[in-house]
Amino acid sequence: IPDIGVIEPGYLADLTVLSLTRPNMVPLYYPLSQIAYAATGAETVLTMVAGEVVCQNGRFPGLDYPALCREVRDMAKSLAARLVTNRA
């Protein structure tokens, strides 16, 4: 696959950037061990998939949050109606 293996513009990249200044990450003696044993996920400040930012500082730029909430509410109503119908 020609577009992988390099971190530079135009290449595909799956990356996660962590803050190493969070309380559970200091003092930082052995970064890989610290990430494996002390990281919780709250340290994540950036996630990229195939070169696209999917999460940055807790926000999902490509996500239509109001539309997602509507869809979840509709699904919950549908599920609740089916549960009531199945009980009868």
Side-chain angles (χ1 to χ4, degrees):
I1 302 173
D3 294 337
I4 64 170
V6 179
I7 300 173
E8 65 180 51
Y11 283 77
L12 301 178
D14 292 348
L15 300 171
T16 299
V17 178
L18 304 176
S19 170
L20 300 178
T21 60
R22 302 280 175 124
N24 59 315
M25 300 301 284
V26 291
L28 184 65
Y29 297 117
Y30 301 101
L32 294 179
S33 292
Q34 195 82 358
I35 290 167
Y37 297 110
T40 65
E43 307 79 12
T44 305
V45 294
L46 177 80
T47 302
M48 294 177 70
V49 176
E52 298 292 324
V53 174
V54 295
C55 182
Q56 186 169 15
N57 297 317
R59 305 251 184 231
F60 297 84
L63 181 68
D64 184 347
Y65 188 73
L68 177 62
C69 288
R70 283 191 301 274
E71 184 176 345
V72 169
R73 277 193 299 272
D74 291 346
M75 292 171 78
K77 286 179 188 176
S78 173
L79 178 59
R82 284 190 292 169
L83 289 173
V84 170
T85 302
N86 288 340
R87 284 187 179 179

